[in-house]
Amino acid sequence: MLKRSLLVRQAVFYWVQVLRDADSTLIVKSTVGDNSTLNIGTGTATITASIDSSQSSKASGLNGGFIAAGFNDASSTSDNVITSSLGNNVKVNAGTLSINSGGLDENLAEAVAGSGGAFVGSASSAETTSKNETVASIGSGSATRNIDVDTLNLIADHKTEFNSTVDSTVVSIVGASGAKADNTSTSDINVSIGQGMNISAETIDINAINRTRKSTDGHVDVVSASGGLLDGAAAHSESYVYNDTDINIAENVFIETRQGGTVGAFNVEAFNDVVLYDTTKMDSGGAVALVNAESFIYNDKNDADITIADRAKLVSADDMTLEAKTSAIADTEVITKTYGLAGAAAGESASRIKTSNNVSLSGARLESDETIILRAGYNNDLRADAETRLYNRTAIPVETDPDADATIEQDNQINVGVYGHGAATEPTDSVSDIQIKRAAIASVKDIHLEAGDGKHVTRGYGRGTDLYREFIAKAAELFGADISLDITGGSTKDNSLYDRFSCTNLNSIRICVFIVNDYNCVNSACFILYSQLKGIKKIFHIIGVF
């Protein structure tokens, strides 16, 4: 008798809760110690630190009973530090010096919950958290504790991939289904050269690259479905992405690409590369059906900064390019459908991208026998797309607004300060030797200062319909009319806060490029730009607001 009673209780009420976690915390460092000497002739010196980590979690559970509830949670987390460095006062003689830091962090979480019975509840949640710090650095040095190579590669290049998927399904008389997916990614990339280091090479590449991916691969990220007499379903997906990418060259650093041999380019680049997709789908059917679906991507930080400090000097026998830029896609989609006697379908999507790209000469000097190019945001490629579609196919539809918001915000600046070389006699004419020596940017050929906003597209599209609106539109087509009674919504915001070029203590573009137009400078702060083409017209290509 007791055994039968226990079986009846088990059939009446059934509860399942499943938790799954996957975590990773890793630190990898590759370092050449302080005061070391690497003398390897024409050979290659490589210092590499790399982590490829993959965390995957899955929680699934199905339950049934007169009263049944299921809760399933999955989470994946990584917190990794990757460092590749050359210590202080390290002397290097080699054919190639490569200092590389990077790798791949992948976090995936999947949760599935299903319930069936008279009174049923089902909920699933999946969460990923990705945190990364990647560093490639050269320590401090001097004219004697220096680096002399043919090729220098100083690169930090890291990629973060993440995604959380959720499926929650209910079949019941009275039922509720909930599905929630959350993602957070924080990635810091830093490339640096320490105070006083002297570097001579034929080709120089200094790169900080921050890559982030959330890809659906054609699948729906969040699915919530319910069916029965009285049903409610909710689906929510939210992703936050923060990227900080920096290149810092310290005080009194001297870097040159020398003449002789095969002279290569001098390239310095800070780059954020982001691709984020999310899709949320909702279905509910019953005598009374209520649904709400949300998909949000907030890529609120994409900072790419190149900073050359006081009295640092970069010299190139070929072209020199310093560029900070961001390429980002944020794409969200919401689809909701309701069926039955009466119901309401609600949905909201939001895609937001914020980026700041800056090149700053804080008392430094750039010098080239060819062309110098500074770009901040000029080659940005940004797309924010939010789409919400609501289909209410109940007999008594309740009208709701389809919300879809797409936002892009930019702040791109080039800042040129006075070269901190020291005091000098004021020039007496516009082409004197002292002008050349005191210019913050000096080239034989062209100077390009380009602070722009690149390509940028925003789209916020919301559309809702029901059986009656669709019927009237179809009927009108029989008479040759093309009408739509759909409810529309959505908003866009595309704002470039600044696309600016600024000269410290200068008050006009005329003074800033006074040498080109033979304007005399009455203040030592005016020694900013100098270009001298032998018998050829000088070209200054300056884009931005002054």
Side-chain angles (χ1 to χ4, degrees), residues 291-358:
V291 302
N292 184 48
E294 296 171 327
S295 175
F296 303 133
I297 291 178
Y298 299 123
N299 181 201
D300 282 346
K301 186 176 184 180
N302 290 294
D303 291 355
D305 297 299
I306 299 173
T307 303
I308 318 296
D310 191 39
R311 296 182 303 280
K313 188 175 180 180
L314 280 58
V315 179
S316 179
D318 203 336
D319 293 344
M320 180 188 297
T321 302
L322 281 67
E323 181 167 15
K325 65 180 180 180
T326 296
S327 174
I329 297 173
D331 189 304
T332 54
E333 183 180 17
V334 166
I335 303 171
T336 68
K337 297 179 181 180
T338 56
Y339 310 89
L341 178 62
E348 182 178 359
S349 60
S351 298
R352 187 166 67 209
I353 299 171
K354 295 182 179 181
T355 182
S356 173
N357 304 275
N358 299 285

Side-chain angles (χ1 to χ4, degrees), residues 101-103 132 134 154-160 187-191 206-213 243-247 269-273 325:
S101 187
N132 158 75
T134 299
L154 179 60
I155 299 171
D157 186 346
H158 184 272
K159 186 177 184 179
T160 300
S187 182
D188 296 331
I189 309 294
N190 186 272
V191 172
I206 301 172
N207 297 317
I209 304 173
N210 207 340
R211 308 178 194 271
T212 308
R213 297 289 185 271
N243 293 321
D244 192 1
T245 307
D246 297 310
I247 296 176
E269 180 181 82
F271 178 36
N272 291 306
D273 180 13
K325 65 180 180 180

Side-chain angles (χ1 to χ4, degrees), residues 45 50 129 135 200 224-225 254 271 317 388 400 409 418 420 515-516 518 524:
S50 179
T129 302
V135 177
S200 178
S224 183
F254 178 76
F271 178 36
T388 299
T400 57
E409 295 182 6
V418 180
I515 295 173
V516 175
D518 290 331
S524 62

Side-chain angles (χ1 to χ4, degrees), residues 346-414:
E348 182 178 359
S349 60
S351 298
R352 187 166 67 209
I353 299 171
K354 295 182 179 181
T355 182
S356 173
N357 304 275
N358 299 285
V359 177
S360 298
L361 305 186
S362 302
R365 172 180 168 91
L366 308 181
E367 182 180 319
S368 174
D369 291 340
E370 297 290 330
T371 294
I372 294 177
I373 301 171
L374 273 62
R375 288 175 174 153
Y378 184 74
N379 286 318
N380 283 358
D381 192 352
L382 311 174
R383 178 165 66 87
D385 193 330
E387 182 173 329
T388 299
R389 293 182 179 271
L390 311 179
Y391 301 93
N392 191 336
R393 294 193 168 95
T394 59
I396 306 174
V398 177
E399 182 176 320
T400 57
D401 293 326
D403 295 324
D405 300 312
T407 302
I408 291 177
E409 295 182 6
Q410 299 191 61
D411 183 353
N412 308 307
Q413 299 186 37
I414 296 174

Side-chain angles (χ1 to χ4, degrees), residues 157-171:
D157 186 346
H158 184 272
K159 186 177 184 179
T160 300
E161 293 185 354
F162 63 86
N163 201 27
S164 54
T165 60
V166 182
D167 191 332
S168 185
T169 304
V170 163
V171 179

Side-chain angles (χ1 to χ4, degrees), residues 141-161:
S142 65
T144 56
R145 303 299 295 177
N146 63 328
I147 296 172
D148 189 347
V149 295
D150 293 333
T151 301
L152 172 66
N153 299 312
L154 179 60
I155 299 171
D157 186 346
H158 184 272
K159 186 177 184 179
T160 300
E161 293 185 354

